[in-house]
Amino acid sequence: MKIDLHHVTKHFGAFTALDRVDLDIGSGELVALLGPSGSGKTTLLRIIAGLDWPDVGEVRFDGEDALSRSIGERNVGFVFQQYALFRHMSVFENVAFGLRARRRSRRLREAEIRARVEKLLDLVQLDGLAGRLPNQLSGGQRQRVALARALAIEPRVLLLDEPFGALDAKVRKELRRWLRQLHDEIRVTSVFVTHDQEEALEVADRVVVLDRGRIEQAGPPSEVYERPASAFVHEFIGESVALPVAIEFGVVRFAGRTLALDAQGTPNGDANLFIRPYEMVIEADSAAAPLRGTVRRVHGLGPARRVEIALPADGSEHIIEVDAPRSQEVVVGQVVGLRPNDYRIFAASA
Amino acid sequence: MTFQPVTFRGAPAKLGALGARPLAAPGTKRGVSNVRADPAPMRLAVITVAVVFLGLFIVVPLVNVFAQALSKGVFAYFSAITHPDALAAIRLTLVAAGISVGLNLVFGVVAAWAITKYEFRGKSLLITAIDMPFSVSPVISGLVFVLLFGAQGYFGSWLQAHDVAVIFALPGIVLATVFVTFPFVARELIPLMREQGTQDEEAALSLGASGLYTFFRVTLPNVKWALLYGVLLCNARAMGEFGAVSVVSGHVRGETNTMPLHVEILYNEYQFMAAFAVASLLALLALITLLAKEVLAARAAKEQAP
C-alpha cells in the first residue's frame, strides 16, 4: 500500500516535533526514518500508525484519508521498541491476539486461527516455542514474536519503532539481515525508525534523514551516503572530516590562505568543507597540494591506517584524521600535502 | 515521547523486595564498612533487640487474644461468637466491608487509570487527595459525614423529610469505611501502571481490539496481582475500622454495631471473655491476610515479566 504524507506538522507545547513533512512511500517499499533523538522520527511513525495525530497535514493510505480512522481501523502492524508483548499470554496467544480480538462476525474459526498462528511462528522461526511466556524468551526471540503478532492481522503497512534498539550487537546484525529477507518474501510496505545509520543503510530501500522535525534528505542508501544534501546529513551518516572555510566570490579560503579548490557554487560567507577520510590523498610533495600539514600520529591496523594531521590555522592548528593506504610511507613529524579527491562544501548555517 | 519501562515489571515493587536485597555489598578492601564484617556480639545484640521487640509487642498480645478467648473453654467461646448480637455484628461487618471494597475496587482502578494513562489539569491534586484518608484522623473522617448527613447536617433535614437514614445506619457506616479505605487499591496500582506505561494497550488497539477488550484482556491481567493485594489490604482495614465507624454508627446493639464496635461494648461491660472471642475473629482475619499476602507475593514474583 502507498502512503502519502503532506505538510505533516506536530507541536508538543512549544517544541516542534515535526515541521511540514512531505513524504511519499511507495507500495512494497522498505523505508528507514533515520535521525538523532528528538528529530521527530518516532512521532512521524506514530502519526502514520494512528497513535498520534498531527496538528496540521494529511496522511493518505492509497489516496484515502487515514486521519479520520483510529489505529484499529487502519490495519497497521506496529512493532514497539520494547516489544510490548502481553506478559501473561503464551507466545501462541500473543500472536493470536489480533485474530481473537476481532468482532464476532469477522472472527475466524479456532482451527483457522491455529493454522495461521502456526504458519507465522514458522515464518519467524519460533515453532516449538508456542507455549512459552514472553519472559522465558531471549531478546531476539521476543522481537520475532512481536513481529509475528503484528503480521497476524495481515497489515497493509508494517511499522517498526527502533526494532533492533534493545538487542546486543551480534543479534542485531543477524536480525537485520533476517528482516530484509523477510521483507523480500512478504513485500508489505514497511517503515522503521532508527538512530543507527549503519542499520538504515544496510536494511532499507530508501533512507529518510530527519533533523529537528524536518526531512533533510530522502533517497536510496548509496545516494544519501555519496551525495549528502546538507552538512547535517554529511556529518550524521558515515565518517566526516570537516574544515571551516570562507567563500569569497567562488574562491575557497582556509585560515587566510586560498585553496586551489572549486567552491561548488556556494554563496559568499562562512562555510564548511566536508570530506570522507578515504577521499583525502596524502602527497609527499607538499608544495603542489591544496592543503599542507604536519603528521602528528599514525595508528590503526588493516588495509588503511588512520593519520592525524595538524593544519596550521590562525596561530593555532586544526587537526583532521584521514586514511592512508598501508603501502604509503607516512612518518610522524613529516610535512605532507593533502589533496581531496572528492569533497562537498555547504554554507555554514547562521 | 516513548516510555521506556524499567526492568522490574509485573509485580508491585514492595512485594518480595524485602529479603531479596542483600544488606550490603561485600567490600572489596579491608576497612570498607560492611555489615557482614561487624563483630559477632554486635550482630547478636541487634538481632536480639529486633526479636525481643517483635515478641513483646506483637506475638505476646496476639497469643493473649486467643488465650483469653479460650479461657473458659471451647463451648463458651463458640457461644460468645454465636450470640445473636455477635452474629449481627459479623453480618454487618461483612456487608459493610463487601460494599466498601467493591466500591473502592472500581474507584481505585478508575483513579489509577486516569492518573497513569491520561494528562489532565488537577492531576497532582487528585494524587494528593487519594492519600488524604491516610493523613486524616479516622474520627474526623466519621465526623465529616455526621456534619453532612446528620440531623443537624447540611442534608439532614432533606434526608429526614424523605425518610432516608444515613447516619446511625448502614449507609453511614459504608460511607465512613469507603472514605477511610479508598487509598489502598489506587496506591497499589498507580506505581505499577505508571511503570508499565501505555504500550501494551497501544499494541492491543493496533491489533484491532476494542477499548473494553483491551481493558479486560490486557490492562487488568497486567495489574492483577497488585490489584488483589490492594483489595486484600483494603478489606483488612475495612473490617477492622473503628474510629470513623464509631462516630457514624450510633452503637445500636444488634443493628449498627460492627465487630470492632461490638468488641468495645463487650469489653466496657466487663464481658472480657466474649470481647476476646470476637476479637479473636479479627485477629484471625489479620493472620489470614498476612498469609494471603505472602501467597500473592510468591505468585507475583513467579510471573514477573521481563
Side-chain angles (χ1 to χ4, degrees):
Chain A
M1 189 195 61
K2 193 169 144 35
I3 304 170
D4 299 325
L5 304 173
H6 184 59
H7 260 58
V8 171
T9 302
K10 173 80 180 174
H11 299 273
F12 291 107
F15 177 73
T16 304
L18 293 170
D19 187 6
R20 286 162 291 171
V21 169
D22 292 312
L23 181 66
D24 291 350
I25 296 165
S27 191
E29 210 177 4
L30 176 54
V31 169
L33 301 179
L34 174 66
S37 59
S39 60
K41 56 192 192 299
T42 297
T43 306
L44 190 59
L45 193 78
R46 290 174 63 87
I47 285 174
I48 298 172
L51 289 167
D52 244 319
W53 266 261
D55 301 331
V56 187
E58 286 175 28
V59 178
R60 296 190 171 279
F61 285 4
D62 272 340
E64 278 174 44
D65 178 33
L67 293 177
S68 58
R69 296 187 187 177
S70 71
I71 180 168
E73 294 162 343
R74 286 191 202 182
N75 197 13
V76 295
F78 200 102
V79 177
F80 290 83
Q81 190 174 0
Q82 306 286 339
Y83 319 134
L85 296 180
F86 307 128
R87 69 204 76 186
H88 57 279
M89 292 182 200
S90 67
V91 167
F92 184 96
E93 286 305 320
N94 262 283
V95 177
F97 185 90
L99 303 174
R100 295 205 194 286
R102 281 185 184 173
R103 249 178 279 281
R104 202 170 292 274
S105 57
R106 289 184 52 230
R107 210 176 296 158
L108 302 172
R109 269 174 296 142
E110 184 62 27
E112 291 172 290
I113 291 178
R114 205 151 273 282
R116 189 179 304 174
V117 172
E118 269 155 22
K119 205 176 131 205
L120 278 164
L121 288 177
D122 189 47
L123 180 73
V124 299
Q125 300 157 16
L126 284 174
D127 35 345
L129 298 181
R132 298 270 188 99
L133 284 174
N135 65 358
Q136 296 168 319
L137 301 177
S138 71
Q141 289 169 336
R142 279 179 215 166
Q143 167 69 276
R144 283 180 280 153
V145 175
L147 201 56
R149 183 179 69 177
L151 290 173
I153 59 168
E154 295 180 321
R156 298 196 290 168
V157 199
L158 187 60
L159 305 170
L160 308 102
D161 186 8
E162 295 275 4
F164 314 111
L167 301 169
D168 57 57
K170 189 168 169 282
V171 181
R172 199 182 307 172
K173 282 213 152 175
E174 281 171 21
L175 265 178
R176 226 144 74 179
R177 210 163 300 142
W178 176 80
L179 179 72
R180 181 67 240 187
Q181 279 171 8
L182 184 75
H183 182 263
D184 291 342
E185 225 170 284
I186 58 179
R187 281 277 153 211
V188 58
T189 309
S190 306
V191 183
F192 73 99
V193 154
T194 179
H195 63 270
D196 182 343
Q197 39 132 336
E198 206 184 312
E199 200 167 286
L201 297 177
E202 184 185 318
V203 177
D205 295 325
R206 196 150 62 102
V207 178
V208 177
V209 185
L210 285 141
D211 181 41
R212 283 177 283 173
R214 286 166 175 274
I215 292 182
E216 288 278 330
Q217 190 173 3
S222 59
E223 185 187 306
V224 171
Y225 185 77
E226 283 160 19
R227 292 194 297 282
S230 69
F232 173 82
V233 176
H234 205 300
E235 296 227 275
F236 192 71
I237 294 178
E239 274 191 291
S240 290
V241 177
L243 210 56
V245 294
I247 308 296
E248 285 165 25
F249 303 102
V251 176
V252 183
R253 294 172 70 84
F254 169 69
R257 293 191 313 118
T258 300
L259 307 182
L261 296 171
D262 175 40
Q264 300 177 341
T266 315
N268 284 354
D270 287 340
N272 282 299
L273 186 146
F274 287 97
I275 330 150
R276 302 281 181 210
Y278 57 81
E279 288 172 341
M280 193 72 103
V281 178
I282 298 176
E283 294 178 351
D285 177 14
S286 64
L291 281 161
R292 192 169 14 158
T294 313
V295 176
R296 278 288 142 83
R297 208 162 97 83
V298 182
H299 59 96
L301 305 163
R305 285 172 303 172
R306 194 43 69 87
V307 183
E308 282 177 25
I309 296 170
L311 308 173
D314 298 328
S316 65
E317 46 189 31
H318 187 87
I319 293 182
I320 61 171
E321 283 192 24
V322 301
D323 285 348
R326 182 148 291 274
S327 55
Q328 186 176 10
E329 196 184 336
V330 183
V331 188
V332 173
Q334 183 186 2
V335 176
V336 293
L338 294 166
R339 184 184 301 280
N341 259 342
D342 203 354
Y343 61 94
R344 286 139 306 265
I345 298 176
F346 299 107
S349 50
Chain B
M1 281 146 277
T2 46
F3 183 85
Q4 302 214 351
V6 282
T7 46
F8 190 93
R9 297 169 81 182
K14 63 175 82 155
L15 290 188
L18 269 176
R21 193 172 301 153
L23 287 170
T28 46
K29 281 182 196 164
R30 261 165 206 273
V32 172
S33 172
N34 184 338
V35 171
R36 281 178 214 170
D38 282 339
M42 172 82 169
R43 251 188 296 169
L44 196 68
V46 171
I47 294 170
T48 309
V49 168
V51 169
V52 167
F53 192 90
L54 193 78
L56 221 55
F57 287 90
I58 309 281
V59 179
V60 169
L62 192 65
V63 170
N64 187 45
V65 169
F66 290 100
Q68 294 278 351
L70 293 164
S71 61
K72 292 186 185 162
V74 178
F75 183 75
Y77 176 80
F78 279 107
S79 67
I81 58 174
T82 52
H83 186 278
D85 287 353
L87 286 179
I90 293 170
R91 199 177 308 123
L92 180 63
T93 297
L94 291 176
V95 168
I99 299 173
S100 308
V101 170
L103 286 175
N104 278 330
L105 173 68
V106 174
F107 167 80
V109 171
V110 171
W113 179 277
I115 284 169
T116 56
K117 316 263 166 172
Y118 301 127
E119 287 303 323
F120 56 93
R121 242 172 232 256
K123 185 161 145 175
S124 53
L125 206 70
L126 181 61
I127 296 174
T128 314
I130 286 174
D131 274 349
M132 202 171 63
F134 279 164
S135 51
V136 172
S137 160
V139 177
I140 310 290
S141 314
L143 213 54
V144 168
F145 292 106
V146 173
L147 292 175
L148 280 176
F149 304 115
Q152 269 77 48
Y154 293 111
F155 306 108
S157 47
W158 186 88
L159 289 170
Q160 237 162 11
H162 291 80
D163 210 19
V164 181
V166 175
I167 301 303
F168 306 151
L170 180 65
I173 293 171
V174 170
L175 277 176
T177 309
V178 166
F179 182 86
V180 171
T181 59
F182 87 47
F184 287 100
V185 173
R187 275 180 62 117
E188 285 306 318
L189 293 182
I190 289 168
L192 180 65
M193 286 170 84
R194 183 170 284 158
E195 189 183 291
Q196 289 178 346
T198 50
Q199 283 211 344
D200 284 11
E201 281 82 11
E202 287 181 344
L205 294 175
S206 80
L207 293 166
S210 67
L212 269 183
Y213 191 89
T214 302
F215 179 76
F216 284 108
R217 294 301 309 274
V218 175
T219 308
L220 267 191
N222 272 353
V223 298
K224 105 185 128 188
W225 298 117
L227 188 66
L228 282 175
Y229 187 71
V231 164
L232 193 70
L233 293 181
C234 186
N235 182 57
R237 180 66 197 268
M239 289 191 173
E241 177 53 28
F242 178 82
V245 171
S246 174
V247 176
V248 295
S249 114
H251 305 268
V252 182
R253 208 184 277 236
E255 280 179 35
T256 64
N257 262 352
T258 60
M259 284 164 76
L261 300 182
H262 190 60
V263 171
E264 194 210 16
I265 286 183
L266 291 172
Y267 188 82
N268 286 343
E269 291 171 350
Y270 304 102
Q271 303 186 45
F272 297 132
M273 195 282 297
F276 277 110
V278 178
S280 74
L281 295 178
L282 287 169
L284 214 58
L285 168 73
L287 292 176
I288 292 170
T289 303
L290 272 180
L291 193 73
K293 194 190 109 181
E294 287 308 309
V295 171
L296 283 185
R299 292 294 298 274
K302 212 176 186 180
E303 234 179 68
Q304 204 185 101

